[in-house]
Amino acid sequence: MFFKSFFDEELAQMSYMTGCQRTGEAMVIDPARDINPYLETADKEGFTITKVTETHIHADFLSGARELAQHTGATLYLSNEGDNDWKYQYLDEVDHVLLNGGDQFHVGNIKFDVLHTPGHTPESISFVLTDEGGGSEVPMGIFTGDFVFVGDVGRPDLLEKAAGSEGTSQQGARQMFQSLEAFKELPDFLQVWPGHGAGSACGKSLGAVPVSTVGYEKANNWALQHTDIDEFTDELIDGQPEPPKYFGMMKKLNKEGPSLEKEREVKKLTVDQLEEYRGNDAVIIDTREKWSFAAGHIPGTINIPYNRSFSNWAGWLVDYDQSIVLIGESSLLTDMKKSLEAIGLDDVTAYVDQSDLSRVGGLETYTSITPEELEAQYKSDDQYVVIDVRNPGEWEAGHMDQARHLMLGHLKDSLEHIPKDRTPIVHCQSGVRSAIAVSLLQANGFKDTINLKGGYAAWKKQMNQA
């Protein structure tokens, strides 16, 4: 039997390929939008991808299942569980098999037993793998998707918070409890292959270790210690992180069928040509590091540095009806485009190489101040207002007096809460998110916005030492 995992660091997303070496057949589980790694692996290992499956309709990334099936001629194996609101809507276009709990199928000599494991979403299923070709009569592992993670379980509130399905959080949490009761009956030696690792917003406290076992999770996963469904429900729902704004769109696109038209010409622009792209129908993203942006940037641009958080913040801050112009290193253009396509932001129309900025004048800058300067010069001055752009949980754990809480992901829609006659001083926890927030405020007319170096953590340290 062949087994390989694939990890997307930006989305903390896991996908898998399993193959029967005797028959040359392979299956991909929960493929990401970029299907090239699966095609390259199959070619290298001598496999034909005959089946593609996913554990549920994903909310945090755009699935590559439809495109991979079309490219390879594979059959899609998809969940038939859940209510009618969350059924796949593009099945007439693809060769497919619908799966319910209790079903069984093979990839060559590898057997897969289907478990219905609702809780994260109503249609969620898991796959128990048995390597019959290797002579085993007992299962090896379970692909859990967003059901059981290392150290955590899938959140039940995304349908309500991101997709607008009212009242589903409580129902999902109670379904999760029942699914976990069934999970506890699985053999302790069974390996657990989850759909996400640390950094994903699909749970509260996902572990960074990529694989676990049923026995280990039963002993250590907080969710598997509960015996009371009401107490479990309360703890599971409480403290879930704010779901990124783009999650609702991902659910919609993955249900309807992700677009197969990703390839678009990306035009190289000069700085002077950027002017024609300004306006509500386009967003210009400067992907340089925050200190380079602060030292000089094109007015009206938003700074989202190209790093592991790039996809997440683009999903929060870019509207799906906007075209995208990128400023950054030309050598990274393909990678940046793939990162945006991973969450369905396909309309990258043009780019400017960052080296061109050094040859133009009229660049905008912003100022950063220290916590000491904030306390000594700014905080008591009614010409300024402190804006805290951290998540709700961070705010609730402690915040500055008189600060206004406008979480970064919702900042663009909350500008009316910032007094026009005051200069914003923006902070997050460490200074990373606040730099994005400063760029967003400058692009929306708050030209004198100030950034707090080191964020709330540095301020808190200074106050403790004072």
Short mmCIF file of all heavy atoms in Angstrom, two decimals, residues 391-446:
data_model
loop_
_atom_site.label_atom_id
_atom_site.label_comp_id
_atom_site.label_asym_id
_atom_site.label_seq_id
_atom_site.Cartn_x
_atom_site.Cartn_y
_atom_site.Cartn_z
N ASN A 391 -8.65 39.76 18.06
CA ASN A 391 -9.85 38.92 18.07
C ASN A 391 -10.64 39.14 19.36
O ASN A 391 -10.08 39.60 20.37
CB ASN A 391 -9.47 37.45 17.94
CG ASN A 391 -8.80 37.15 16.62
OD1 ASN A 391 -9.07 37.81 15.62
ND2 ASN A 391 -7.93 36.15 16.61
N PRO A 392 -11.93 38.79 19.36
CA PRO A 392 -12.75 38.99 20.57
C PRO A 392 -12.18 38.32 21.82
O PRO A 392 -12.22 38.91 22.90
CB PRO A 392 -14.10 38.38 20.17
CG PRO A 392 -14.16 38.55 18.68
CD PRO A 392 -12.75 38.35 18.21
N GLY A 393 -11.66 37.11 21.68
CA GLY A 393 -11.11 36.42 22.84
C GLY A 393 -9.93 37.15 23.45
O GLY A 393 -9.76 37.19 24.68
N GLU A 394 -9.08 37.72 22.59
CA GLU A 394 -7.93 38.49 23.08
C GLU A 394 -8.40 39.75 23.81
O GLU A 394 -7.86 40.12 24.85
CB GLU A 394 -7.03 38.86 21.91
CG GLU A 394 -6.37 37.67 21.22
CD GLU A 394 -5.65 38.07 19.95
OE1 GLU A 394 -6.32 38.59 19.03
OE2 GLU A 394 -4.43 37.86 19.88
N TRP A 395 -9.38 40.40 23.23
CA TRP A 395 -9.93 41.62 23.84
C TRP A 395 -10.52 41.31 25.21
O TRP A 395 -10.29 42.04 26.19
CB TRP A 395 -10.99 42.21 22.92
CG TRP A 395 -11.87 43.26 23.53
CD1 TRP A 395 -13.09 43.06 24.11
CD2 TRP A 395 -11.62 44.67 23.62
NE1 TRP A 395 -13.62 44.25 24.56
CE2 TRP A 395 -12.73 45.26 24.27
CE3 TRP A 395 -10.57 45.49 23.22
CZ2 TRP A 395 -12.82 46.63 24.52
CZ3 TRP A 395 -10.66 46.87 23.47
CH2 TRP A 395 -11.76 47.42 24.11
N GLU A 396 -11.29 40.23 25.30
CA GLU A 396 -11.94 39.88 26.55
C GLU A 396 -10.93 39.48 27.63
O GLU A 396 -11.18 39.66 28.82
CB GLU A 396 -12.93 38.74 26.31
CG GLU A 396 -14.13 39.17 25.48
CD GLU A 396 -14.94 37.99 24.96
OE1 GLU A 396 -14.61 36.84 25.35
OE2 GLU A 396 -15.88 38.21 24.17
N ALA A 397 -9.77 38.96 27.20
CA ALA A 397 -8.75 38.56 28.18
C ALA A 397 -8.02 39.75 28.77
O ALA A 397 -7.33 39.62 29.79
CB ALA A 397 -7.75 37.62 27.51
N GLY A 398 -8.17 40.92 28.17
CA GLY A 398 -7.52 42.12 28.68
C GLY A 398 -7.32 43.15 27.59
O GLY A 398 -6.97 42.80 26.46
N HIS A 399 -7.58 44.42 27.90
CA HIS A 399 -7.43 45.48 26.90
C HIS A 399 -7.18 46.83 27.58
O HIS A 399 -7.38 46.98 28.79
CB HIS A 399 -8.67 45.57 26.01
CG HIS A 399 -9.95 45.79 26.77
ND1 HIS A 399 -10.75 44.74 27.17
CD2 HIS A 399 -10.55 46.93 27.21
CE1 HIS A 399 -11.80 45.22 27.81
NE2 HIS A 399 -11.70 46.55 27.85
N MET A 400 -6.74 47.79 26.79
CA MET A 400 -6.47 49.12 27.32
C MET A 400 -7.78 49.85 27.63
O MET A 400 -8.76 49.70 26.90
CB MET A 400 -5.70 49.96 26.29
CG MET A 400 -4.35 49.43 25.90
SD MET A 400 -3.55 50.57 24.73
CE MET A 400 -2.27 49.50 24.07
N ASP A 401 -7.75 50.62 28.68
CA ASP A 401 -8.90 51.47 28.99
C ASP A 401 -9.11 52.47 27.85
O ASP A 401 -8.15 52.99 27.28
CB ASP A 401 -8.66 52.24 30.29
CG ASP A 401 -8.63 51.31 31.50
OD1 ASP A 401 -9.16 50.20 31.40
OD2 ASP A 401 -8.04 51.70 32.53
N GLN A 402 -10.34 52.73 27.52
CA GLN A 402 -10.76 53.71 26.51
C GLN A 402 -10.44 53.29 25.07
O GLN A 402 -10.74 54.04 24.15
CB GLN A 402 -10.13 55.09 26.80
CG GLN A 402 -10.54 55.66 28.15
CD GLN A 402 -9.89 56.99 28.44
OE1 GLN A 402 -8.79 57.27 27.97
NE2 GLN A 402 -10.58 57.82 29.22
N ALA A 403 -9.84 52.11 24.88
CA ALA A 403 -9.60 51.63 23.52
C ALA A 403 -10.93 51.19 22.89
O ALA A 403 -11.86 50.80 23.60
CB ALA A 403 -8.61 50.46 23.53
N ARG A 404 -11.00 51.25 21.60
CA ARG A 404 -12.18 50.78 20.87
C ARG A 404 -11.83 49.47 20.17
O ARG A 404 -10.78 49.39 19.50
CB ARG A 404 -12.64 51.82 19.85
CG ARG A 404 -12.99 53.15 20.50
CD ARG A 404 -13.76 54.05 19.58
NE ARG A 404 -14.05 55.34 20.22
CZ ARG A 404 -14.95 56.20 19.77
NH1 ARG A 404 -15.65 55.94 18.66
NH2 ARG A 404 -15.15 57.34 20.40
N HIS A 405 -12.69 48.49 20.30
CA HIS A 405 -12.40 47.18 19.71
C HIS A 405 -13.06 47.06 18.33
O HIS A 405 -14.29 47.02 18.22
CB HIS A 405 -12.91 46.06 20.62
CG HIS A 405 -12.59 44.69 20.11
ND1 HIS A 405 -13.51 43.67 20.06
CD2 HIS A 405 -11.44 44.19 19.58
CE1 HIS A 405 -12.96 42.59 19.55
NE2 HIS A 405 -11.71 42.89 19.25
N LEU A 406 -12.23 47.01 17.29
CA LEU A 406 -12.69 46.80 15.92
C LEU A 406 -11.80 45.73 15.31
O LEU A 406 -10.72 46.02 14.80
CB LEU A 406 -12.61 48.11 15.11
CG LEU A 406 -13.44 49.29 15.62
CD1 LEU A 406 -13.15 50.53 14.78
CD2 LEU A 406 -14.92 48.96 15.60
N MET A 407 -12.24 44.47 15.39
CA MET A 407 -11.43 43.35 14.93
C MET A 407 -11.02 43.54 13.47
O MET A 407 -11.81 44.01 12.65
CB MET A 407 -12.23 42.06 15.11
CG MET A 407 -11.45 40.80 14.80
SD MET A 407 -11.88 40.18 13.17
CE MET A 407 -10.94 38.66 13.11
N LEU A 408 -9.77 43.23 13.15
CA LEU A 408 -9.22 43.50 11.82
C LEU A 408 -10.10 42.96 10.70
O LEU A 408 -10.33 43.64 9.70
CB LEU A 408 -7.81 42.91 11.72
CG LEU A 408 -7.14 42.98 10.34
CD1 LEU A 408 -7.08 44.40 9.82
CD2 LEU A 408 -5.75 42.34 10.40
N GLY A 409 -10.60 41.76 10.86
CA GLY A 409 -11.40 41.16 9.80
C GLY A 409 -12.67 41.94 9.48
O GLY A 409 -13.19 41.84 8.36
N HIS A 410 -13.17 42.71 10.44
CA HIS A 410 -14.39 43.50 10.24
C HIS A 410 -14.11 44.99 10.14
O HIS A 410 -15.05 45.79 10.06
CB HIS A 410 -15.36 43.25 11.41
CG HIS A 410 -15.80 41.82 11.54
ND1 HIS A 410 -16.46 41.15 10.53
CD2 HIS A 410 -15.66 40.93 12.56
CE1 HIS A 410 -16.72 39.92 10.93
NE2 HIS A 410 -16.25 39.75 12.15
N LEU A 411 -12.84 45.37 10.12
CA LEU A 411 -12.48 46.78 10.17
C LEU A 411 -13.02 47.55 8.97
O LEU A 411 -13.53 48.67 9.12
CB LEU A 411 -10.96 46.92 10.25
CG LEU A 411 -10.40 48.33 10.42
CD1 LEU A 411 -10.92 48.98 11.70
CD2 LEU A 411 -8.87 48.29 10.44
N LYS A 412 -12.94 46.97 7.80
CA LYS A 412 -13.39 47.65 6.59
C LYS A 412 -14.87 48.00 6.66
O LYS A 412 -15.32 48.99 6.08
CB LYS A 412 -13.10 46.78 5.36
CG LYS A 412 -13.37 47.46 4.04
CD LYS A 412 -12.87 46.64 2.87
CE LYS A 412 -13.65 45.37 2.69
NZ LYS A 412 -13.34 44.69 1.40
N ASP A 413 -15.64 47.18 7.39
CA ASP A 413 -17.08 47.41 7.51
C ASP A 413 -17.43 48.20 8.77
O ASP A 413 -18.62 48.37 9.08
CB ASP A 413 -17.82 46.07 7.52
CG ASP A 413 -17.57 45.26 6.26
OD1 ASP A 413 -17.54 45.86 5.18
OD2 ASP A 413 -17.39 44.03 6.37
N SER A 414 -16.42 48.68 9.50
CA SER A 414 -16.66 49.35 10.78
C SER A 414 -16.06 50.75 10.83
O SER A 414 -15.88 51.32 11.92
CB SER A 414 -16.06 48.51 11.93
OG SER A 414 -16.55 47.19 11.91
N LEU A 415 -15.77 51.31 9.69
CA LEU A 415 -15.09 52.61 9.65
C LEU A 415 -15.90 53.73 10.27
O LEU A 415 -15.35 54.70 10.78
CB LEU A 415 -14.73 52.96 8.20
CG LEU A 415 -13.79 51.98 7.48
CD1 LEU A 415 -13.59 52.42 6.04
CD2 LEU A 415 -12.45 51.89 8.21
N GLU A 416 -17.24 53.58 10.27
CA GLU A 416 -18.08 54.63 10.83
C GLU A 416 -17.92 54.74 12.34
O GLU A 416 -18.34 55.74 12.95
CB GLU A 416 -19.55 54.39 10.49
CG GLU A 416 -20.20 53.22 11.18
CD GLU A 416 -20.00 51.89 10.45
OE1 GLU A 416 -19.14 51.83 9.54
OE2 GLU A 416 -20.71 50.91 10.78
N HIS A 417 -17.31 53.74 12.97
CA HIS A 417 -17.11 53.76 14.42
C HIS A 417 -15.81 54.48 14.82
O HIS A 417 -15.50 54.56 16.01
CB HIS A 417 -17.10 52.34 14.98
CG HIS A 417 -18.38 51.60 14.76
ND1 HIS A 417 -19.57 52.00 15.33
CD2 HIS A 417 -18.68 50.51 14.01
CE1 HIS A 417 -20.54 51.17 14.96
NE2 HIS A 417 -20.02 50.27 14.15
N ILE A 418 -15.06 54.96 13.83
CA ILE A 418 -13.84 55.70 14.12
C ILE A 418 -14.12 57.19 13.94
O ILE A 418 -14.51 57.62 12.85
CB ILE A 418 -12.69 55.27 13.17
CG1 ILE A 418 -12.45 53.76 13.30
CG2 ILE A 418 -11.42 56.05 13.49
CD1 ILE A 418 -11.41 53.23 12.33
N PRO A 419 -13.96 57.99 14.97
CA PRO A 419 -14.25 59.43 14.86
C PRO A 419 -13.42 60.08 13.76
O PRO A 419 -12.20 59.90 13.69
CB PRO A 419 -13.87 59.97 16.24
CG PRO A 419 -13.89 58.79 17.15
CD PRO A 419 -13.48 57.62 16.32
N LYS A 420 -14.07 60.86 12.92
CA LYS A 420 -13.38 61.52 11.82
C LYS A 420 -12.41 62.59 12.30
O LYS A 420 -11.46 62.95 11.59
CB LYS A 420 -14.40 62.16 10.87
CG LYS A 420 -15.36 61.17 10.21
CD LYS A 420 -14.66 60.29 9.21
CE LYS A 420 -15.67 59.42 8.46
NZ LYS A 420 -15.02 58.51 7.50
N ASP A 421 -12.65 63.14 13.49
CA ASP A 421 -11.82 64.23 13.99
C ASP A 421 -10.69 63.74 14.89
O ASP A 421 -10.03 64.53 15.56
CB ASP A 421 -12.67 65.24 14.75
CG ASP A 421 -13.40 64.62 15.94
OD1 ASP A 421 -13.46 63.37 16.02
OD2 ASP A 421 -13.91 65.38 16.79
N ARG A 422 -10.45 62.42 14.92
CA ARG A 422 -9.36 61.88 15.72
C ARG A 422 -8.42 61.03 14.86
O ARG A 422 -8.84 60.42 13.88
CB ARG A 422 -9.90 61.02 16.87
CG ARG A 422 -10.70 61.80 17.90
CD ARG A 422 -10.90 60.93 19.13
NE ARG A 422 -11.77 61.57 20.10
CZ ARG A 422 -12.03 61.06 21.31
NH1 ARG A 422 -11.48 59.91 21.68
NH2 ARG A 422 -12.82 61.70 22.15
N THR A 423 -7.17 60.99 15.27
CA THR A 423 -6.17 60.17 14.58
C THR A 423 -6.13 58.79 15.22
O THR A 423 -5.88 58.67 16.43
CB THR A 423 -4.78 60.82 14.67
OG1 THR A 423 -4.82 62.09 14.01
CG2 THR A 423 -3.74 59.93 14.01
N PRO A 424 -6.35 57.73 14.46
CA PRO A 424 -6.31 56.37 15.04
C PRO A 424 -4.88 55.95 15.39
O PRO A 424 -3.94 56.18 14.63
CB PRO A 424 -6.87 55.49 13.92
CG PRO A 424 -7.55 56.42 12.97
CD PRO A 424 -6.79 57.71 13.06
N ILE A 425 -4.74 55.34 16.55
CA ILE A 425 -3.51 54.63 16.94
C ILE A 425 -3.90 53.15 17.04
O ILE A 425 -4.72 52.78 17.89
CB ILE A 425 -2.96 55.13 18.29
CG1 ILE A 425 -2.63 56.63 18.19
CG2 ILE A 425 -1.72 54.33 18.68
CD1 ILE A 425 -2.20 57.24 19.52
N VAL A 426 -3.34 52.35 16.18
CA VAL A 426 -3.81 50.97 16.01
C VAL A 426 -2.85 49.98 16.67
O VAL A 426 -1.62 50.13 16.56
CB VAL A 426 -3.95 50.63 14.51
CG1 VAL A 426 -4.50 49.22 14.33
CG2 VAL A 426 -4.86 51.64 13.83
N HIS A 427 -3.41 48.99 17.34
CA HIS A 427 -2.57 47.91 17.87
C HIS A 427 -3.28 46.57 17.77
O HIS A 427 -4.52 46.49 17.73
CB HIS A 427 -2.16 48.20 19.33
CG HIS A 427 -3.22 47.87 20.34
ND1 HIS A 427 -3.42 46.60 20.84
CD2 HIS A 427 -4.15 48.65 20.96
CE1 HIS A 427 -4.41 46.60 21.72
NE2 HIS A 427 -4.86 47.84 21.81
N CYS A 428 -2.45 45.51 17.72
CA CYS A 428 -2.95 44.14 17.83
C CYS A 428 -2.23 43.51 19.01
O CYS A 428 -1.96 44.19 20.01
CB CYS A 428 -2.74 43.38 16.53
SG CYS A 428 -1.01 43.27 16.00
N GLN A 429 -1.89 42.23 18.93
CA GLN A 429 -1.18 41.61 20.05
C GLN A 429 0.32 41.84 19.97
O GLN A 429 0.99 42.08 20.96
CB GLN A 429 -1.48 40.10 20.09
CG GLN A 429 -0.93 39.38 21.30
CD GLN A 429 -1.60 39.80 22.61
OE1 GLN A 429 -2.68 40.37 22.61
NE2 GLN A 429 -0.94 39.52 23.73
N SER A 430 0.87 41.76 18.73
CA SER A 430 2.33 41.84 18.59
C SER A 430 2.80 42.84 17.55
O SER A 430 3.99 43.09 17.43
CB SER A 430 2.89 40.47 18.23
OG SER A 430 2.41 40.06 16.95
N GLY A 431 1.89 43.41 16.76
CA GLY A 431 2.26 44.38 15.75
C GLY A 431 2.15 43.90 14.32
O GLY A 431 2.41 44.66 13.39
N VAL A 432 1.73 42.65 14.12
CA VAL A 432 1.61 42.12 12.76
C VAL A 432 0.29 42.53 12.13
O VAL A 432 0.25 43.13 11.06
CB VAL A 432 1.75 40.58 12.78
CG1 VAL A 432 1.52 40.02 11.38
CG2 VAL A 432 3.14 40.18 13.27
N ARG A 433 -0.81 42.23 12.80
CA ARG A 433 -2.14 42.56 12.26
C ARG A 433 -2.37 44.06 12.21
O ARG A 433 -3.06 44.57 11.32
CB ARG A 433 -3.23 41.88 13.09
CG ARG A 433 -3.34 40.39 12.88
CD ARG A 433 -4.21 39.74 13.94
NE ARG A 433 -3.55 39.69 15.23
CZ ARG A 433 -4.11 39.26 16.36
NH1 ARG A 433 -5.38 38.87 16.35
NH2 ARG A 433 -3.44 39.23 17.49
N SER A 434 -1.80 44.79 13.17
CA SER A 434 -2.02 46.24 13.20
C SER A 434 -1.41 46.90 11.97
O SER A 434 -1.91 47.92 11.50
CB SER A 434 -1.46 46.85 14.47
OG SER A 434 -0.06 46.67 14.57
N ALA A 435 -0.32 46.34 11.44
CA ALA A 435 0.29 46.91 10.24
C ALA A 435 -0.67 46.78 9.05
O ALA A 435 -0.79 47.70 8.24
CB ALA A 435 1.61 46.20 9.94
N ILE A 436 -1.36 45.65 8.95
CA ILE A 436 -2.38 45.49 7.91
C ILE A 436 -3.49 46.51 8.14
O ILE A 436 -3.98 47.15 7.20
CB ILE A 436 -2.94 44.06 7.92
CG1 ILE A 436 -1.82 43.04 7.66
CG2 ILE A 436 -4.04 43.91 6.87
CD1 ILE A 436 -2.28 41.59 7.77
N ALA A 437 -3.89 46.67 9.40
CA ALA A 437 -4.98 47.59 9.73
C ALA A 437 -4.62 49.03 9.37
O ALA A 437 -5.47 49.78 8.86
CB ALA A 437 -5.32 47.48 11.21
N VAL A 438 -3.39 49.44 9.63
CA VAL A 438 -2.97 50.79 9.29
C VAL A 438 -3.11 51.02 7.78
O VAL A 438 -3.62 52.05 7.34
CB VAL A 438 -1.52 51.05 9.74
CG1 VAL A 438 -1.01 52.38 9.15
CG2 VAL A 438 -1.42 51.10 11.25
N SER A 439 -2.67 50.05 6.99
CA SER A 439 -2.78 50.20 5.54
C SER A 439 -4.23 50.32 5.10
O SER A 439 -4.56 51.10 4.21
CB SER A 439 -2.09 49.02 4.83
OG SER A 439 -2.86 47.83 4.90
N LEU A 440 -5.10 49.54 5.73
CA LEU A 440 -6.51 49.57 5.40
C LEU A 440 -7.13 50.93 5.75
O LEU A 440 -7.91 51.49 4.97
CB LEU A 440 -7.24 48.44 6.13
CG LEU A 440 -8.70 48.19 5.77
CD1 LEU A 440 -8.82 47.74 4.33
CD2 LEU A 440 -9.30 47.15 6.70
N LEU A 441 -6.76 51.47 6.89
CA LEU A 441 -7.29 52.77 7.30
C LEU A 441 -6.76 53.89 6.42
O LEU A 441 -7.50 54.79 6.02
CB LEU A 441 -6.95 53.03 8.77
CG LEU A 441 -7.70 52.15 9.78
CD1 LEU A 441 -7.22 52.45 11.19
CD2 LEU A 441 -9.20 52.36 9.68
N GLN A 442 -5.48 53.83 6.09
CA GLN A 442 -4.94 54.84 5.18
C GLN A 442 -5.63 54.79 3.83
O GLN A 442 -5.95 55.83 3.25
CB GLN A 442 -3.43 54.65 5.00
CG GLN A 442 -2.60 55.13 6.16
CD GLN A 442 -1.12 55.20 5.81
OE1 GLN A 442 -0.59 54.34 5.10
NE2 GLN A 442 -0.44 56.22 6.30
N ALA A 443 -5.88 53.60 3.33
CA ALA A 443 -6.54 53.45 2.03
C ALA A 443 -7.96 53.98 2.05
O ALA A 443 -8.53 54.30 1.00
CB ALA A 443 -6.54 51.99 1.61
N ASN A 444 -8.53 54.09 3.27
CA ASN A 444 -9.90 54.58 3.40
C ASN A 444 -9.97 55.97 4.00
O ASN A 444 -10.98 56.37 4.57
CB ASN A 444 -10.73 53.60 4.24
CG ASN A 444 -11.13 52.36 3.46
OD1 ASN A 444 -12.12 52.36 2.74
ND2 ASN A 444 -10.32 51.30 3.59
N GLY A 445 -8.87 56.73 3.85
CA GLY A 445 -8.90 58.15 4.18
C GLY A 445 -8.32 58.56 5.51
O GLY A 445 -8.16 59.76 5.77
N PHE A 446 -7.98 57.62 6.38
CA PHE A 446 -7.37 57.97 7.68
C PHE A 446 -5.85 58.03 7.50
O PHE A 446 -5.11 57.13 7.93
CB PHE A 446 -7.77 56.94 8.74
CG PHE A 446 -9.23 56.93 9.07
CD1 PHE A 446 -10.12 56.12 8.36
CD2 PHE A 446 -9.75 57.75 10.08
CE1 PHE A 446 -11.48 56.11 8.65
CE2 PHE A 446 -11.10 57.74 10.38
CZ PHE A 446 -11.97 56.93 9.66
#
